[in-house]
């Protein structure tokens, strides 16, 4: 066992131990699913930052920036951060007032519709299962590259860790361990930024070298390097703006973000946590992405772009600091996985099965174990694709939930039929376009991005159906 694996194993055991201790304080479904609705600002903000900052950032986003997509990626990162503030003010406060255990339950209450609740639950489970797969593949890839151990063994070990943590401690354990993990990977990234910058000759000299080297000058140009995303700078920027809208929507209403508002002790905690979350996520994204760009000066040619942060930890940093960085990346992945798995179990138990009390907790735990095994089986037979799997989940959230979520708060004419059809057709349109592009082996024009088309379809269908079927009682 090398020192990096040893450090990661110690971290996983520590997180499981914390979860085991916290599990003794779980008394009922309210504790298990919404942390007793007593979460303070620190835990809300820490969990939101941790649930976003996963292996998708350290491996997926870093890979895109290393290949030349820094400008478009940082554009969408800046836009998405605003989503935390907008979502807290215009959505999160009202969700908290509903006293629901899950966001699908909120939609069901808002529209007095059992079918709306089930559809929201199904879409939420699909989104979070996709994300869970992305995170598990990222953790497995990290551990395999670092240790040389079999990929299947690594993802199984990771799955056992976050499944035990989530099943035993519920939302209270997820909030606390998420916040601890957020501290770990934030400290790790700050230290890494300093050390990697120093070993690259200093940040200013590194930037100057990139700008003066013809083959690298496009890395920090306004439109990025042609290739990783699209072939022109204009298309790359349009992609950044498009996904900025998509991920702003995700951060506003995505179940793994806005579900934290259900756990807040009051509305003031929701509002105060929003700017902390927005700044924390953007700063983390900026540090990771800029570090990945500078690593083009040091990482050997032929290295897998999704492994550049791992390479830096093992080759450019003192061993102990490398262990801290890799443990931070692992922590980022586990924190996201616990959030997704907990919300899946919550939706199955409370929205699909509509159970209560101890029975709800039992069903939720069984669902968590079942989904973990299903995702593990899929991950074992399919190669990792962290970045694009992550973006599929974000697209589904924006297309199916965002227009309906905002309409449910601000529209008096939105009917349950309109909300149901909008959510359904938005998701189906996005999924159909992505499936077509994949099967046909083509890249759709940036203006036909499935996320954007899905959002437009959702709004049009939602508006049309509501107008046709509007009654004052709806």
């Amino acid at each position: 066992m090398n020192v990096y694996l040893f450090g990661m194993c110690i971290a996983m055991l520590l997180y499981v131990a914390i979860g085991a201790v916290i599990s003794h304080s779980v008394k009922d479904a309210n504790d298990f699913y919404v942390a007793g609705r007593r979460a303070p600002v620190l835990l809300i903000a820490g969990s939101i930052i941790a649930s976003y900052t996963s292996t998708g950032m350290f491996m997926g986003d870093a890979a895109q920036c290393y290949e030349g997509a820094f400008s478009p990626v940082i554009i969408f990162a800046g836009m998405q951060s605003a989503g935390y503030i907008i979502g807290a003010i215009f959505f999160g406060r009202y969700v908290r007032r509903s006293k629901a255990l899950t966001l699908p339950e909120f939609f069901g209450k808002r529209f007095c519709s059992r079918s709306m609740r089930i559809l929201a639950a199904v879409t939420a489970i699909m989104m979070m299962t996709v994300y869970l797969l992305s995170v598990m593949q990222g953790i497995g890839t990290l551990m395999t590259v670092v240790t040389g151990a079999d990929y299947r063994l690594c993802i199984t070990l990771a799955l056992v860790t976050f499944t035990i943590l989530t099943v035993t401690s519920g939302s209270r354990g997820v909030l606390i361990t998420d916040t601890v993990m957020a501290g770990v990977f934030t400290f790790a990234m700050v230290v890494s930024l300093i050390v990697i910058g120093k070993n690259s000759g200093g940040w200013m000299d590194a930037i100057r070298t990139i700008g003066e080297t013809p083959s690298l000058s496009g890395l920090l140009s306004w439109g990025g390097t042609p290739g990783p995303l699209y072939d022109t700078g204009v298309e790359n920027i349009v992609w950044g703006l498009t996904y900025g809208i998509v991920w702003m929507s995700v951060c506003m209403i995505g179940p793994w973000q806005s579900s934290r508002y259900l756990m807040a002790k009051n509305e003031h905690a929701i509002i105060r946590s929003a700017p902390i979350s927005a700044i924390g996520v953007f700063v983390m994204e900026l540090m990771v992405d800029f570090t990945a760009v500078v690593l083009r000066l040091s990482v050997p040619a032929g290295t897998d772009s999704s492994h550049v942060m791992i390479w830096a930890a093992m080759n450019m940093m003192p061993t102990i600091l490398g262990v801290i960085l890799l443990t931070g990346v692992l922590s980022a992945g586990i924190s996201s996985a616990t959030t997704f798995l907990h919300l899946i179990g919550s939706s199955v138990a409370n929205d699909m099965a509509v159970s209560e009390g101890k029975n709800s907790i039992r069903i939720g735990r069984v669902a968590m174990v079942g989904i973990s095994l299903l995702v593990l089986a899929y991950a074992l037979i399919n190669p990792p694709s962290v970045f694009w799997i992550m973006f599929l989940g974000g697209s589904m959230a924006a297309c199916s939930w965002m227009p309906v979520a905002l309409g449910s708060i601000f529209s008096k004419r939105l009917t349950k039929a309109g909300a149901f059809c909008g959510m359904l057709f938005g998701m189906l349109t996005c999924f159909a376009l992505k499936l077509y592009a994949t099967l046909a082996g083509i890249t759709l024009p940036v203006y036909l991005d499935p996320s954007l088309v899905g959002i437009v379809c959702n709004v049009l269908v939602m508006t049309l159906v509501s107008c046709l079927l509007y009654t004052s009682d709806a």
Side-chain angles (χ1 to χ4, degrees), residues 194-455:
I194 296 171
V195 175
I196 292 174
K198 180 180 179 181
N199 291 340
S200 298
W203 284 106
M204 298 308 297
D205 287 342
I207 294 171
R208 186 179 303 110
T209 301
I210 290 173
E212 294 174 350
T213 304
S215 61
L216 300 178
S217 58
L219 293 175
L220 294 175
S221 66
W222 68 270
T225 301
L229 296 174
Y230 290 91
D231 292 331
T232 67
V234 172
E235 287 180 304
N236 285 339
I237 295 302
V238 172
W239 178 91
L241 294 172
T242 299
Y243 272 88
I245 295 172
V246 170
W247 280 84
M248 185 189 298
S249 304
V250 172
C251 294
M252 287 167 55
I253 52 82
W256 51 94
Q257 310 292 336
S258 52
S259 63
R260 274 32 195 162
Y261 305 141
L262 294 170
M263 306 175 190
K265 64 180 181 180
N266 52 44
E267 292 182 23
H268 293 289
I270 293 173
I271 301 301
R272 290 198 298 269
S273 69
I276 299 173
S277 303
I279 294 171
V281 166
F282 180 75
V283 169
M284 279 299 302
E285 187 79 60
L286 180 62
M287 288 193 295
V288 171
D289 295 347
F290 196 67
T291 299
V293 171
V294 172
L295 285 174
R296 281 292 295 267
L297 298 174
S298 305
V299 177
T303 301
D304 190 319
S305 59
S306 65
H307 299 167
V308 294
M309 295 299 294
I310 302 173
W311 184 92
M314 300 179 70
N315 294 276
M316 293 185 69
M317 302 178 68
T319 301
I320 185 62
L321 296 181
V323 170
I324 292 173
L325 175 57
L326 293 177
T327 301
V329 178
L330 175 73
S331 299
I334 291 177
S335 66
S336 297
T338 56
T339 294
F340 302 142
L341 187 59
H342 170 261
L343 292 176
I344 292 171
S346 181
S347 280
V348 171
N350 296 293
D351 301 314
M352 307 295 286
V354 198
S355 54
E356 297 180 354
K358 297 290 186 180
N359 190 44
S360 173
I361 297 176
R362 182 165 54 252
I363 293 175
R365 284 171 167 163
V366 171
M368 293 174 195
V369 173
I371 287 293
S372 293
L373 294 176
L374 179 65
V375 171
L376 175 63
Y378 186 86
L380 289 174
I381 60 176
N382 286 275
S385 185
V386 176
F387 182 81
W388 294 112
I389 291 177
M390 178 184 69
F391 269 73
L392 174 61
S395 300
M396 292 171 63
C399 295
S400 59
W401 278 39
M402 189 270 285
V404 175
L406 295 182
S408 69
I409 301 297
F410 297 106
S411 174
K412 295 181 179 180
R413 300 183 63 87
L414 176 59
T415 65
K416 60 184 178 183
F420 183 91
C421 293
M423 182 175 288
L424 178 63
F425 279 87
M427 181 189 68
L428 291 179
T429 300
C430 175
F431 182 79
L433 280 176
K434 282 188 174 289
L435 182 64
Y436 167 72
T438 301
L439 295 178
I442 61 173
T443 299
L444 294 171
V446 68
Y447 54 82
L448 285 180
D449 186 273
S451 306
L452 193 60
V453 175
I455 292 173

Side-chain angles (χ1 to χ4, degrees), residues 17 27 75 120 327 425 456:
K27 305 301 181 184
I75 286 173
T327 301
F425 279 87
V456 172

